[in-house]
Structures are given as C-alpha cells and as structure tokens.
Amino acid sequence: MPMLLSGADWATALVFVPLLAALACFLVPRAAGWLGLLAALLILLATLGLVQGLLADGPLRVAVGGWGAPLGIDLWADGLSAALLLMTSLVGLGVSVYAPGYFAAHPEQRRWFWPLWLLLWTALNGLYLSADLFNLYVMLEVLGLSAAALTALSGSATALNAAMRYLLVSLLGSAAYLLGVALLYHGYGTVDIALLGERIEAGAVATTALLVMSTGLLLKTALLPFHFWLPPAHGSAPAPVSALLSALVIKASFYLLLRLWLDLFSGLGGLLSALLPELLGLLGAAAVLWGSVQALRQRRLKLLIAYSTVAQIGYLFLAFPLAGAQVNALAWRAVLYLALAHGLAKAAMFLSAGSLLQFAGHDRIADLDRAVQRLPLTLTAFVLGGISIMGLPPSGGFVGKWLLLESAFTQGRWGLAIVVLLGGVLAAGYVFKVVGYAFTPTEIAQEGEAVPLTMQWSALLLAFGAILLGFSAPWLWPLLEVGAPFMQPVAEIGMAALKEIGAIPAAVVTGSGMLEAEILAGSEVGTGRETWIGAAP
Amino acid sequence: MNSVLVFALAGVGLIGLGLYGLLVQRHLLRKVLAFNVISSGIFLLLAGLARRAPGAEPDPVPQAMVLTGIVVAVAATALALAMMLALRSATGRTRLKDHGDED
C-alpha cells in the first residue's frame, strides 16, 4: 500500500472519524445505520494504517493542529495503545454489523443508539491516544456519559435504575481521577505523561495522587468491592450495548490505570508502591472466585455473562503482583492478551445472548429449549467465546492464562496459579450450564422469532477472532514491542520525541525504588535494561 | 495562613462534604447536587493550588482546565437530571432501588 497518509494522519482520523460520524448520525437519523457502518470500516482502516506506521517507524507523538504542550493536545501511540485500538475497532465493527438487525425490532432505540455509540467510540480512541492526563480526564467523562446514556436506552425501570447508579459511580470515579490530576499539576507543573514521568518523585503529593486516581479508576473498572454497579447495568442494557460495555468500556479505565502505573507510579518505590500491587492482586483473586461463583448461580443469561465479566476483570489485576519483579514483563503481556481475548469473546457472548433473547423473547437459562438446533450459529458463537473465557487451547484466553501461569510458577506464587486454574474450572461450569439447557427441550415447546443472519454471523466472527487470537502471537508480539510500553517508563521515549533528552540513564537509576532495586539485583535483568538505555538515544 | 492553604482547605472541605452527601443522601437530586459540590471542591483545588511565582502572572493552564471541567460538570448534571426525571416517570420513585429489594 502506498503510504499516502502518515501514522499521524491515521491517529488523528481515529478520533475525528467517529466524532464526525456521531454528529452526522444525530443530524440524519434515517441514514444512521449506513453512516455507522461506514465509520466502523474507516476506523478499522485507520487502525490498520496506524499499526503499520507504528511497526515501520516506532512510537508516535502528534501535536494536533501544531499547538503542542502545554496548551495544545498531543496524541501518543505505542504498542499498548495500538493493541487496544485494534481490539476496539474489531469489536466495534462486529457490533455495528449486529446493531441494525437488533434495532429493527426496537426502532425507538435506534435513533439514539448510533450517535451515542459513535461518541463512545470517539472517547475510547481518544483515551487510547491521549498523551496528557487532563485530556484523558475529558475522554474518561465522555466515555462515562455516553456509556450511562446507552445503558438507559431501553427506558425500562430496571435499566434506568441501573444506568442512574452507573452514572453516579462513573462521575465519582472521574472526579477522584481529576483530583489526582489537580494534585499532580500542583506538585510538578505539568499534565503531560512524558514530562510527569520525568519529574515525579516519591512524596506525599505522588502518594495521594496515586491513591485517589487508582480508587477512581478501580471504581470505573469494577474491581471486586466496587463491582456492585456492573451486573445490573450490563445485564439490563440492550445486547449490543452490553457487548460494548463489557468488552470495551471496562478496558478503557483499566488501560488508564495500567498506563499510570507503568509510566508514573511503579518506579516511585516506597511502601505504597510495594503494597498496592499485592492488594490489587488479592482483590483480583477474590473477584475471579466470587464473580465466577455468582455467575454459576444466575438464572438469567445476560446476568450470568455480566458476572463472568466481574470474574474476568479480576484476572487483569492478577498481573500487578506478578509483574513487579520481572523485567521481561511476561505478566503484563499475559494480562494484555487476556484483555484482548476477553474483549472479543465477551462481545460474542453478549451478542449471542441478544440473538437468543430476540429469538425466544426472554433470557431465562432454564428455558432455552433446544436453542442449539434452532440457532446453531449463535450457540456456536457462544461456545467459542466461552472456550476463550475458560482458557482452553488454542484460544486467545488460553495464551493469556498460560503466560500468567508461567509467570506465577517461575516466581513460586502458587496461590495465584491456583486462582487462575480454579477460575477456569468455574468458567467451564457456567458455560456448560448454558450449553446443557440449550440442548434440552422444555416441557412446553416454544415458538421463536426469526433472527437476522447478520446478527448471528457478526457474533460468530467475533468468537472466531477470540480463538484466532491464540495464533496471533507472532505478529502481535512485535506490535507490543513498539515503544516497549512494559519495559521502561514512557517518559523516556516521550522525551526523545520531545527532543529533550537529558539525564535519562541517571533518572532511571535515581528514580528506581525498592522494586527496581530488586530487578537490578538479578544480573540478567540488569543487562537487559542497560542495553536498552544504551541503545535509546 | 497564606491564600494557597485557604483554597486547599476549602477545596478539601467541599470534597468531603460532597462525598458524604453522595453516599448518605438517598434522594437523587441531592446526590446530583452532592456531585456538584465535589466538583466545585476539585475546581477550587485546581485553580488555588496552581504553582505561581510571587508577583508574576497567574498560570493560565489550570484556569483552562477548570473551565473545561465546568463544561463537563454541566453536561454531566444535565444528563443525571434527565435520567432522574425519566426514572421518576417510569417508576414514580426519585431514589435508587437497593440491591435488597430487587424483584
């Protein structure tokens, strides 16, 4: 492909295409379905363009409109953002293909779905590409507001109740995040992540900022004690919206937390930086077990899938205690793999649940009544998604769990390894519970409504994506290497992009705390880091 | 007591007050107002704590942030109020249903 457009153009397009499409869908509701689909295809194209640019030229920093920091908005893309952007555009395309069929049966919701969903997509892409904390706050708010509005789309009492609770939780979460931004700006005079990474040092300001920002983001990510709002919201939203919330929205706040941890806080040292990962790991383990058991107990399909999301969020946090002492960042890769696989698989499962709901008019698991014979494509999609959630080979979920286990075993963290395995067994339990009922005829045979093929195939293709992800390591690995997001703070490369490199090696050494001191104690580890530093400028 | 400390203490006070309201009050309108109190506290902190050299021009960046934050808070409040009204016309209630009394 001739490179008519550079990586910078693609990155800008990723924010502007969904934004303009959202406005167009709002103004011309009759054409919304086609506009949305066109936007989804363009976004996928732009993501592929960006990925190609990143692979060829390395990480990317764009000053939008040529303004630059501190008043302008900078975009930043590395392997971590690109992987999540890619997952977002695949799930987004799948949901956009699914939605017209679903909303044909709910025409009153169709008018608002498209603008809100494209606005949500704008916020997701903007969040993965933002280079400064304040712009991230704005994107976080756009994301939260559009997600809450989408949850309320059906207008039922249950949905409105869940959406209202979700909105309040989400607003509180972003307020806490903004408080952290205010503190960091007070302490270090900038909101640019790269500059902050350079300037931040251990102290009361950084500790308080870390605490309030992580609490806010955990609230939005629904890690165990904060999960209370998730099952009602994800369970009562229209199926395409549930898919978006579970597959994409949760990942965005997790990404932000990961980004802050990797680039700002993990190198600070001190008691909190040592304890917080352990605490997150503990909560994650509790979430895996509790969410899975709750999923097993549910009688309604969508609630079952929603509780499964609570459990899968737990997995993402198991990496925090594991990654501390590993320079090859095995645990981070594992968790990214799990996040990508969960995105594709959970979208497929929620879309399948939507098809079943449309077919039967209810989603009671016990009354699925031979769904397997009557909607074979949909059930296949559900099972393939379930295979990835369980972590069976050769799915993407398998690769993620395998890497996580490997990381746990090499460090002798048997407790975490057992949680990983037990979560898989429980997941098998709840997936097969659904499949079992889908094979069983009920006493009174039920008539079903026809389900459009676009709905069935989009779910199936997403589920295939989750399986194929297991084979994608050879080309996903090099992408993750771009900008080495897990190896060293983004600050260093970001600074290179800003042409302000000064004392990078010194900063790495002086900025290292307890955990990094441990890392450097291992000889292999130490050389890896030094090689990179030598090669950087 | 310098002005920065006054701003900081007032901001923290407002945030605490708002947090208390958001968690304890059951009427949704009061929850929405409590959220606005929290936001005001954060804006006060953001603008009051911004680093400034004595006698120099104040730093414009936090003021730009507060302006953006106000716009966001207004939009969020509008959505929350609209949703509250929709909830009331659908159920007749103006408070959230607890997990205990789910049907």
Short mmCIF file of all heavy atoms in Angstrom, two decimals, chain A residues 70-71 134 137-138 141 145 148-149 152 155 157 160-161 163-165 167-168 171-172 175 178-179 182 185-188 191 228 232, chain B residues 15 19 22 28 31 35 38 42-43 45-46 49 51 59 61-62 65 68 72 76 79-80 83-84 86-87 90-91 93 96-97 99:
data_model
loop_
_atom_site.label_atom_id
_atom_site.label_comp_id
_atom_site.label_asym_id
_atom_site.label_seq_id
_atom_site.Cartn_x
_atom_site.Cartn_y
_atom_site.Cartn_z
N PRO A 70 2.16 23.20 26.47
CA PRO A 70 1.20 22.70 27.44
C PRO A 70 -0.26 22.95 27.06
O PRO A 70 -1.13 22.30 27.60
CB PRO A 70 1.54 23.50 28.71
CG PRO A 70 2.00 24.82 28.17
CD PRO A 70 2.70 24.52 26.87
N LEU A 71 -0.55 23.90 26.16
CA LEU A 71 -1.95 24.23 25.91
C LEU A 71 -2.58 23.38 24.82
O LEU A 71 -3.78 23.18 24.80
CB LEU A 71 -2.10 25.71 25.57
CG LEU A 71 -2.02 26.64 26.79
CD1 LEU A 71 -2.08 28.09 26.38
CD2 LEU A 71 -3.14 26.33 27.78
N PHE A 134 -4.99 15.52 31.51
CA PHE A 134 -6.25 16.24 31.50
C PHE A 134 -7.12 15.84 30.32
O PHE A 134 -8.33 15.67 30.44
CB PHE A 134 -6.03 17.75 31.52
CG PHE A 134 -7.30 18.48 31.76
CD1 PHE A 134 -7.86 18.52 33.03
CD2 PHE A 134 -7.99 19.09 30.73
CE1 PHE A 134 -9.06 19.15 33.26
CE2 PHE A 134 -9.20 19.72 30.96
CZ PHE A 134 -9.73 19.76 32.23
N TYR A 137 -8.79 12.86 31.17
CA TYR A 137 -9.97 13.09 32.02
C TYR A 137 -11.19 13.41 31.16
O TYR A 137 -12.27 12.85 31.38
CB TYR A 137 -9.70 14.23 33.00
CG TYR A 137 -10.96 14.82 33.58
CD1 TYR A 137 -11.70 14.11 34.52
CD2 TYR A 137 -11.45 16.06 33.15
CE1 TYR A 137 -12.88 14.62 35.03
CE2 TYR A 137 -12.62 16.58 33.66
CZ TYR A 137 -13.34 15.85 34.60
OH TYR A 137 -14.51 16.36 35.08
N VAL A 138 -11.00 14.29 30.17
CA VAL A 138 -12.15 14.66 29.33
C VAL A 138 -12.68 13.42 28.61
O VAL A 138 -13.89 13.17 28.55
CB VAL A 138 -11.74 15.76 28.34
CG1 VAL A 138 -12.87 16.06 27.39
CG2 VAL A 138 -11.33 17.01 29.08
N GLU A 141 -14.65 11.22 30.86
CA GLU A 141 -16.00 11.72 31.12
C GLU A 141 -16.92 11.48 29.92
O GLU A 141 -18.07 11.08 30.08
CB GLU A 141 -15.96 13.22 31.45
CG GLU A 141 -15.48 13.52 32.86
CD GLU A 141 -16.52 13.22 33.93
OE1 GLU A 141 -17.33 12.31 33.75
OE2 GLU A 141 -16.51 13.92 34.96
N LEU A 145 -20.28 9.32 30.28
CA LEU A 145 -21.61 9.87 30.00
C LEU A 145 -22.28 9.10 28.87
O LEU A 145 -23.46 8.73 28.97
CB LEU A 145 -21.51 11.36 29.63
CG LEU A 145 -21.01 12.29 30.72
CD1 LEU A 145 -21.06 13.74 30.26
CD2 LEU A 145 -21.82 12.14 31.99
N ALA A 148 -23.34 5.63 30.13
CA ALA A 148 -24.52 5.63 31.00
C ALA A 148 -25.78 5.87 30.18
O ALA A 148 -26.82 5.22 30.40
CB ALA A 148 -24.38 6.69 32.08
N ALA A 149 -25.69 6.79 29.21
CA ALA A 149 -26.86 7.05 28.37
C ALA A 149 -27.23 5.81 27.56
O ALA A 149 -28.42 5.50 27.39
CB ALA A 149 -26.58 8.23 27.43
N ALA A 152 -29.20 3.28 29.53
CA ALA A 152 -30.61 3.63 29.76
C ALA A 152 -31.46 3.50 28.51
O ALA A 152 -32.65 3.79 28.55
CB ALA A 152 -30.69 5.05 30.30
N GLY A 155 -35.08 2.22 28.33
CA GLY A 155 -36.10 3.00 29.02
C GLY A 155 -36.91 2.23 30.04
O GLY A 155 -37.82 2.78 30.64
N ALA A 157 -37.72 0.38 33.69
CA ALA A 157 -37.40 0.82 35.04
C ALA A 157 -36.08 0.23 35.52
O ALA A 157 -35.25 0.92 36.11
CB ALA A 157 -38.54 0.43 35.98
N LEU A 160 -33.19 1.96 33.75
CA LEU A 160 -32.97 3.33 34.21
C LEU A 160 -32.32 3.34 35.59
O LEU A 160 -31.42 4.14 35.87
CB LEU A 160 -34.29 4.08 34.25
CG LEU A 160 -34.78 4.60 32.91
CD1 LEU A 160 -36.21 5.08 33.01
CD2 LEU A 160 -33.88 5.73 32.42
N ASN A 161 -32.78 2.46 36.46
CA ASN A 161 -32.19 2.36 37.79
C ASN A 161 -30.70 2.01 37.69
O ASN A 161 -29.85 2.66 38.31
CB ASN A 161 -32.94 1.28 38.58
CG ASN A 161 -32.75 1.44 40.07
OD1 ASN A 161 -33.14 2.46 40.64
ND2 ASN A 161 -32.13 0.46 40.70
N ALA A 163 -28.74 2.40 35.10
CA ALA A 163 -27.99 3.45 34.41
C ALA A 163 -27.72 4.61 35.34
O ALA A 163 -26.63 5.20 35.32
CB ALA A 163 -28.77 3.91 33.18
N MET A 164 -28.71 4.95 36.17
CA MET A 164 -28.53 6.06 37.11
C MET A 164 -27.40 5.74 38.10
O MET A 164 -26.53 6.57 38.37
CB MET A 164 -29.84 6.27 37.86
CG MET A 164 -29.89 7.51 38.69
SD MET A 164 -30.09 8.98 37.68
CE MET A 164 -29.11 10.14 38.59
N ARG A 165 -27.41 4.51 38.61
CA ARG A 165 -26.36 4.12 39.55
C ARG A 165 -24.99 4.14 38.86
O ARG A 165 -24.00 4.64 39.40
CB ARG A 165 -26.65 2.71 40.08
CG ARG A 165 -25.80 2.32 41.28
CD ARG A 165 -25.99 0.87 41.64
NE ARG A 165 -27.36 0.52 41.96
CZ ARG A 165 -27.90 0.67 43.17
NH1 ARG A 165 -27.18 1.14 44.14
NH2 ARG A 165 -29.14 0.33 43.38
N LEU A 167 -24.14 5.93 36.30
CA LEU A 167 -23.73 7.31 36.05
C LEU A 167 -23.11 7.93 37.30
O LEU A 167 -22.05 8.56 37.23
CB LEU A 167 -24.95 8.13 35.60
CG LEU A 167 -24.67 9.61 35.32
CD1 LEU A 167 -23.72 9.76 34.15
CD2 LEU A 167 -25.96 10.37 35.03
N LEU A 168 -23.76 7.74 38.45
CA LEU A 168 -23.22 8.34 39.68
C LEU A 168 -21.86 7.75 40.03
O LEU A 168 -20.92 8.47 40.38
CB LEU A 168 -24.21 8.12 40.84
CG LEU A 168 -25.50 8.95 40.73
CD1 LEU A 168 -26.47 8.54 41.81
CD2 LEU A 168 -25.19 10.44 40.84
N LEU A 171 -19.32 9.15 37.59
CA LEU A 171 -18.97 10.55 37.86
C LEU A 171 -18.05 10.65 39.07
O LEU A 171 -17.08 11.41 39.07
CB LEU A 171 -20.23 11.37 38.10
CG LEU A 171 -21.08 11.64 36.87
CD1 LEU A 171 -22.35 12.38 37.25
CD2 LEU A 171 -20.30 12.44 35.84
N LEU A 172 -18.35 9.87 40.10
CA LEU A 172 -17.48 9.88 41.29
C LEU A 172 -16.08 9.40 40.92
O LEU A 172 -15.08 9.99 41.35
CB LEU A 172 -18.09 8.99 42.38
CG LEU A 172 -17.32 8.97 43.70
CD1 LEU A 172 -17.27 10.36 44.30
CD2 LEU A 172 -17.94 8.00 44.68
N ALA A 175 -14.30 12.10 39.08
CA ALA A 175 -13.98 13.21 39.98
C ALA A 175 -12.72 12.88 40.78
O ALA A 175 -11.82 13.72 40.93
CB ALA A 175 -15.14 13.50 40.91
N LEU A 178 -9.79 13.31 38.58
CA LEU A 178 -9.46 14.72 38.36
C LEU A 178 -8.75 15.32 39.58
O LEU A 178 -7.85 16.14 39.44
CB LEU A 178 -10.74 15.51 38.05
CG LEU A 178 -10.52 16.99 37.71
CD1 LEU A 178 -9.67 17.14 36.46
CD2 LEU A 178 -11.84 17.71 37.53
N LEU A 179 -9.17 14.87 40.77
CA LEU A 179 -8.49 15.33 41.98
C LEU A 179 -7.01 14.96 41.92
O LEU A 179 -6.13 15.78 42.24
CB LEU A 179 -9.16 14.70 43.20
CG LEU A 179 -8.58 15.05 44.57
CD1 LEU A 179 -8.66 16.55 44.78
CD2 LEU A 179 -9.33 14.32 45.67
N ALA A 182 -5.26 17.30 39.60
CA ALA A 182 -5.02 18.60 40.24
C ALA A 182 -3.80 18.53 41.14
O ALA A 182 -2.94 19.43 41.13
CB ALA A 182 -6.25 19.03 41.03
N TYR A 185 -0.61 18.29 39.07
CA TYR A 185 -0.26 19.57 38.44
C TYR A 185 0.32 20.52 39.47
O TYR A 185 1.28 21.25 39.20
CB TYR A 185 -1.48 20.20 37.76
CG TYR A 185 -1.08 21.39 36.93
CD1 TYR A 185 -0.59 21.21 35.64
CD2 TYR A 185 -1.13 22.69 37.45
CE1 TYR A 185 -0.18 22.28 34.89
CE2 TYR A 185 -0.71 23.76 36.69
CZ TYR A 185 -0.24 23.56 35.41
OH TYR A 185 0.19 24.62 34.66
N HIS A 186 -0.27 20.49 40.66
CA HIS A 186 0.27 21.33 41.73
C HIS A 186 1.71 20.94 42.05
O HIS A 186 2.58 21.81 42.21
CB HIS A 186 -0.60 21.17 42.98
CG HIS A 186 0.03 21.74 44.21
ND1 HIS A 186 0.36 23.07 44.32
CD2 HIS A 186 0.39 21.17 45.38
CE1 HIS A 186 0.89 23.29 45.50
NE2 HIS A 186 0.94 22.16 46.16
N GLY A 187 1.97 19.64 42.10
CA GLY A 187 3.29 19.18 42.51
C GLY A 187 4.36 19.35 41.45
O GLY A 187 5.50 19.67 41.74
N TYR A 188 3.98 19.11 40.19
CA TYR A 188 5.03 19.01 39.16
C TYR A 188 4.83 19.95 37.99
O TYR A 188 5.60 19.93 37.03
CB TYR A 188 5.13 17.55 38.69
CG TYR A 188 5.29 16.62 39.86
CD1 TYR A 188 4.23 15.85 40.31
CD2 TYR A 188 6.49 16.56 40.56
CE1 TYR A 188 4.36 15.04 41.43
CE2 TYR A 188 6.63 15.76 41.67
CZ TYR A 188 5.57 15.00 42.11
OH TYR A 188 5.71 14.21 43.22
N VAL A 191 0.78 18.29 33.03
CA VAL A 191 -0.10 17.13 32.97
C VAL A 191 0.33 16.19 31.85
O VAL A 191 -0.33 15.19 31.59
CB VAL A 191 -1.58 17.53 32.75
CG1 VAL A 191 -2.17 18.10 34.01
CG2 VAL A 191 -1.72 18.49 31.61
N PHE A 228 -20.36 -3.59 42.38
CA PHE A 228 -21.81 -3.67 42.62
C PHE A 228 -22.67 -3.10 41.50
O PHE A 228 -23.76 -3.55 41.27
CB PHE A 228 -22.14 -2.97 43.95
CG PHE A 228 -21.70 -1.54 43.98
CD1 PHE A 228 -22.56 -0.53 43.58
CD2 PHE A 228 -20.42 -1.18 44.39
CE1 PHE A 228 -22.15 0.79 43.59
CE2 PHE A 228 -20.00 0.14 44.40
CZ PHE A 228 -20.88 1.13 44.00
N PRO A 232 -26.12 -5.21 37.22
CA PRO A 232 -27.39 -4.66 36.77
C PRO A 232 -27.25 -3.83 35.49
O PRO A 232 -28.10 -3.92 34.59
CB PRO A 232 -27.86 -3.77 37.93
CG PRO A 232 -26.86 -3.86 38.99
CD PRO A 232 -25.81 -4.81 38.61
N ILE B 15 -14.98 18.80 49.08
CA ILE B 15 -14.94 17.43 48.56
C ILE B 15 -15.49 16.47 49.61
O ILE B 15 -16.31 15.59 49.31
CB ILE B 15 -13.51 17.05 48.15
CG1 ILE B 15 -13.06 17.87 46.95
CG2 ILE B 15 -13.43 15.57 47.80
CD1 ILE B 15 -11.60 17.74 46.63
N LEU B 19 -18.81 14.24 49.19
CA LEU B 19 -18.69 12.78 49.25
C LEU B 19 -19.69 12.23 50.27
O LEU B 19 -20.38 11.23 50.01
CB LEU B 19 -17.26 12.42 49.65
CG LEU B 19 -16.84 10.97 49.43
CD1 LEU B 19 -16.96 10.63 47.95
CD2 LEU B 19 -15.42 10.75 49.90
N LEU B 22 -23.11 12.42 48.74
CA LEU B 22 -23.32 11.43 47.67
C LEU B 22 -23.57 10.04 48.24
O LEU B 22 -24.37 9.27 47.73
CB LEU B 22 -22.08 11.42 46.76
CG LEU B 22 -22.21 10.69 45.43
CD1 LEU B 22 -23.26 11.33 44.57
CD2 LEU B 22 -20.88 10.68 44.70
N LEU B 28 -32.26 11.39 44.70
CA LEU B 28 -31.30 11.52 43.60
C LEU B 28 -30.89 12.96 43.35
O LEU B 28 -29.74 13.23 43.00
CB LEU B 28 -31.89 10.90 42.33
CG LEU B 28 -31.81 9.38 42.31
CD1 LEU B 28 -32.61 8.82 41.16
CD2 LEU B 28 -30.35 8.93 42.18
N LYS B 31 -28.17 13.71 45.54
CA LYS B 31 -26.93 13.06 45.08
C LYS B 31 -26.29 13.88 43.96
O LYS B 31 -25.08 14.07 43.93
CB LYS B 31 -27.23 11.64 44.61
CG LYS B 31 -27.35 10.62 45.73
CD LYS B 31 -27.44 9.22 45.14
CE LYS B 31 -27.79 8.16 46.15
NZ LYS B 31 -26.66 7.79 47.02
N PHE B 35 -22.66 15.71 43.97
CA PHE B 35 -21.62 15.57 42.95
C PHE B 35 -21.10 16.95 42.53
O PHE B 35 -19.90 17.15 42.34
CB PHE B 35 -22.15 14.78 41.75
CG PHE B 35 -21.38 15.04 40.49
CD1 PHE B 35 -20.11 14.53 40.34
CD2 PHE B 35 -21.92 15.81 39.47
CE1 PHE B 35 -19.38 14.78 39.19
CE2 PHE B 35 -21.21 16.07 38.34
CZ PHE B 35 -19.94 15.56 38.19
N ILE B 38 -18.74 18.28 45.09
CA ILE B 38 -17.41 17.65 44.93
C ILE B 38 -16.64 18.33 43.80
O ILE B 38 -15.47 18.70 43.94
CB ILE B 38 -17.54 16.14 44.62
CG1 ILE B 38 -18.19 15.42 45.79
CG2 ILE B 38 -16.19 15.53 44.30
CD1 ILE B 38 -18.33 13.93 45.56
N ILE B 42 -12.99 20.32 43.79
CA ILE B 42 -11.83 19.98 42.96
C ILE B 42 -11.38 21.18 42.13
O ILE B 42 -10.18 21.45 42.01
CB ILE B 42 -12.15 18.77 42.07
CG1 ILE B 42 -12.39 17.54 42.94
CG2 ILE B 42 -11.02 18.50 41.10
CD1 ILE B 42 -12.90 16.36 42.19
N PHE B 43 -12.37 21.93 41.60
CA PHE B 43 -12.00 23.11 40.80
C PHE B 43 -11.26 24.13 41.66
O PHE B 43 -10.29 24.76 41.22
CB PHE B 43 -13.24 23.75 40.18
CG PHE B 43 -13.96 22.85 39.23
CD1 PHE B 43 -15.32 22.97 39.02
CD2 PHE B 43 -13.28 21.86 38.54
CE1 PHE B 43 -15.98 22.12 38.16
CE2 PHE B 43 -13.93 21.01 37.68
CZ PHE B 43 -15.30 21.14 37.49
N LEU B 45 -9.45 23.51 44.29
CA LEU B 45 -8.09 22.99 44.48
C LEU B 45 -7.23 23.25 43.25
O LEU B 45 -6.10 23.73 43.35
CB LEU B 45 -8.12 21.48 44.73
CG LEU B 45 -8.25 20.99 46.15
CD1 LEU B 45 -8.26 19.48 46.15
CD2 LEU B 45 -7.08 21.49 46.97
N LEU B 46 -7.81 22.93 42.08
CA LEU B 46 -7.06 23.04 40.83
C LEU B 46 -6.62 24.48 40.59
O LEU B 46 -5.45 24.74 40.29
CB LEU B 46 -7.97 22.55 39.69
CG LEU B 46 -7.35 22.15 38.38
CD1 LEU B 46 -6.27 21.11 38.59
CD2 LEU B 46 -8.41 21.59 37.46
N LEU B 49 -4.36 25.86 43.86
CA LEU B 49 -3.05 25.26 44.13
C LEU B 49 -2.04 25.47 43.01
O LEU B 49 -0.88 25.13 43.17
CB LEU B 49 -3.19 23.76 44.36
CG LEU B 49 -3.76 23.30 45.69
CD1 LEU B 49 -3.67 21.80 45.79
CD2 LEU B 49 -3.01 23.94 46.83
N ARG B 51 0.74 26.39 40.68
CA ARG B 51 2.02 26.97 41.08
C ARG B 51 2.16 28.37 40.48
O ARG B 51 1.92 28.58 39.31
CB ARG B 51 3.13 26.08 40.56
CG ARG B 51 4.45 26.29 41.22
CD ARG B 51 5.42 25.30 40.69
NE ARG B 51 5.55 24.15 41.58
CZ ARG B 51 6.39 23.15 41.36
NH1 ARG B 51 7.14 23.15 40.28
NH2 ARG B 51 6.49 22.15 42.20
N ASP B 59 -0.78 31.32 36.35
CA ASP B 59 -0.66 30.28 35.34
C ASP B 59 -2.01 30.05 34.66
O ASP B 59 -3.01 29.77 35.33
CB ASP B 59 -0.19 29.00 36.07
CG ASP B 59 0.05 27.88 35.10
OD1 ASP B 59 -0.19 28.08 33.90
OD2 ASP B 59 0.49 26.81 35.55
N VAL B 61 -2.94 27.66 32.62
CA VAL B 61 -3.31 26.27 32.30
C VAL B 61 -4.39 25.72 33.23
O VAL B 61 -5.41 25.22 32.77
CB VAL B 61 -2.06 25.36 32.29
CG1 VAL B 61 -2.45 23.91 32.11
CG2 VAL B 61 -1.11 25.80 31.20
N PRO B 62 -4.23 25.87 34.58
CA PRO B 62 -5.29 25.35 35.44
C PRO B 62 -6.62 26.06 35.24
O PRO B 62 -7.68 25.45 35.39
CB PRO B 62 -4.78 25.59 36.86
CG PRO B 62 -3.50 26.24 36.75
CD PRO B 62 -3.08 26.34 35.35
N MET B 65 -8.23 24.43 32.50
CA MET B 65 -8.73 23.12 32.94
C MET B 65 -10.03 23.27 33.71
O MET B 65 -10.97 22.50 33.53
CB MET B 65 -7.71 22.45 33.85
CG MET B 65 -6.48 21.96 33.14
SD MET B 65 -5.55 21.01 34.33
CE MET B 65 -3.93 21.18 33.69
N THR B 68 -12.88 23.89 31.34
CA THR B 68 -13.28 22.64 30.69
C THR B 68 -14.04 21.76 31.68
O THR B 68 -15.07 21.17 31.34
CB THR B 68 -12.04 21.89 30.18
OG1 THR B 68 -11.20 22.82 29.52
CG2 THR B 68 -12.42 20.78 29.24
N VAL B 72 -17.81 20.12 31.50
CA VAL B 72 -18.08 18.69 31.67
C VAL B 72 -19.10 18.47 32.79
O VAL B 72 -20.04 17.68 32.65
CB VAL B 72 -16.77 17.93 31.98
CG1 VAL B 72 -17.06 16.51 32.40
CG2 VAL B 72 -15.85 17.94 30.78
N ALA B 76 -22.69 16.68 32.61
CA ALA B 76 -22.98 15.51 33.44
C ALA B 76 -24.22 15.74 34.28
O ALA B 76 -25.09 14.87 34.41
CB ALA B 76 -21.79 15.20 34.34
N LEU B 79 -27.35 15.42 32.14
CA LEU B 79 -27.69 14.02 31.86
C LEU B 79 -28.27 13.36 33.11
O LEU B 79 -29.28 12.64 33.03
CB LEU B 79 -26.45 13.27 31.40
CG LEU B 79 -26.66 11.79 31.10
CD1 LEU B 79 -27.65 11.61 29.95
CD2 LEU B 79 -25.37 11.09 30.78
N ALA B 80 -27.65 13.62 34.27
CA ALA B 80 -28.13 12.99 35.50
C ALA B 80 -29.55 13.44 35.82
O ALA B 80 -30.41 12.62 36.20
CB ALA B 80 -27.20 13.33 36.66
N MET B 83 -31.98 11.83 33.43
CA MET B 83 -32.17 10.41 33.75
C MET B 83 -33.03 10.26 35.00
O MET B 83 -33.86 9.36 35.08
CB MET B 83 -30.79 9.80 33.98
CG MET B 83 -30.68 8.39 33.45
SD MET B 83 -29.03 7.80 33.74
CE MET B 83 -28.37 7.86 32.13
N MET B 84 -32.85 11.18 35.95
CA MET B 84 -33.65 11.14 37.17
C MET B 84 -35.13 11.34 36.83
O MET B 84 -36.01 10.62 37.32
CB MET B 84 -33.18 12.23 38.13
CG MET B 84 -33.81 12.19 39.47
SD MET B 84 -33.37 13.64 40.43
CE MET B 84 -34.62 14.79 39.93
N ALA B 86 -36.55 10.71 33.97
CA ALA B 86 -37.03 9.53 33.26
C ALA B 86 -37.33 8.41 34.25
O ALA B 86 -38.36 7.71 34.13
CB ALA B 86 -35.98 9.07 32.24
N LEU B 87 -36.47 8.27 35.25
CA LEU B 87 -36.68 7.24 36.26
C LEU B 87 -37.97 7.51 37.02
O LEU B 87 -38.76 6.61 37.31
CB LEU B 87 -35.49 7.20 37.22
CG LEU B 87 -35.51 6.09 38.27
CD1 LEU B 87 -35.32 4.74 37.61
CD2 LEU B 87 -34.43 6.30 39.32
N ALA B 90 -40.95 6.68 34.95
CA ALA B 90 -41.12 5.25 34.71
C ALA B 90 -41.55 4.50 35.97
O ALA B 90 -42.28 3.51 35.89
CB ALA B 90 -39.83 4.64 34.16
N THR B 91 -41.09 4.96 37.13
CA THR B 91 -41.34 4.18 38.35
C THR B 91 -42.03 4.98 39.45
O THR B 91 -42.49 4.39 40.42
CB THR B 91 -40.00 3.68 38.94
OG1 THR B 91 -39.24 4.83 39.33
CG2 THR B 91 -39.20 2.88 37.95
N ARG B 93 -40.48 6.75 41.46
CA ARG B 93 -39.50 6.92 42.55
C ARG B 93 -38.47 7.97 42.18
O ARG B 93 -38.17 8.16 41.00
CB ARG B 93 -38.78 5.60 42.83
CG ARG B 93 -39.62 4.60 43.60
CD ARG B 93 -38.84 3.33 43.88
NE ARG B 93 -38.60 2.57 42.65
CZ ARG B 93 -37.42 2.36 42.12
NH1 ARG B 93 -36.35 2.83 42.69
NH2 ARG B 93 -37.30 1.67 41.01
N LEU B 96 -32.74 5.53 44.22
CA LEU B 96 -32.32 4.27 43.61
C LEU B 96 -32.88 3.11 44.39
O LEU B 96 -33.01 3.17 45.61
CB LEU B 96 -30.79 4.19 43.60
CG LEU B 96 -30.09 5.10 42.62
CD1 LEU B 96 -28.58 4.97 42.79
CD2 LEU B 96 -30.47 4.76 41.20
N LYS B 97 -33.21 2.06 43.66
CA LYS B 97 -33.67 0.86 44.32
C LYS B 97 -32.45 0.12 44.87
O LYS B 97 -31.46 -0.04 44.16
CB LYS B 97 -34.36 -0.02 43.27
CG LYS B 97 -35.36 -0.98 43.85
CD LYS B 97 -35.76 -1.93 42.76
CE LYS B 97 -37.24 -2.01 42.60
NZ LYS B 97 -37.58 -2.91 41.49
N HIS B 99 -30.13 -3.05 46.42
CA HIS B 99 -29.98 -4.44 45.98
C HIS B 99 -30.91 -5.35 46.77
O HIS B 99 -31.34 -6.37 46.29
CB HIS B 99 -28.54 -4.90 46.17
CG HIS B 99 -27.63 -4.29 45.15
ND1 HIS B 99 -27.65 -4.64 43.85
CD2 HIS B 99 -26.71 -3.31 45.26
CE1 HIS B 99 -26.78 -3.92 43.18
NE2 HIS B 99 -26.19 -3.10 44.01
#
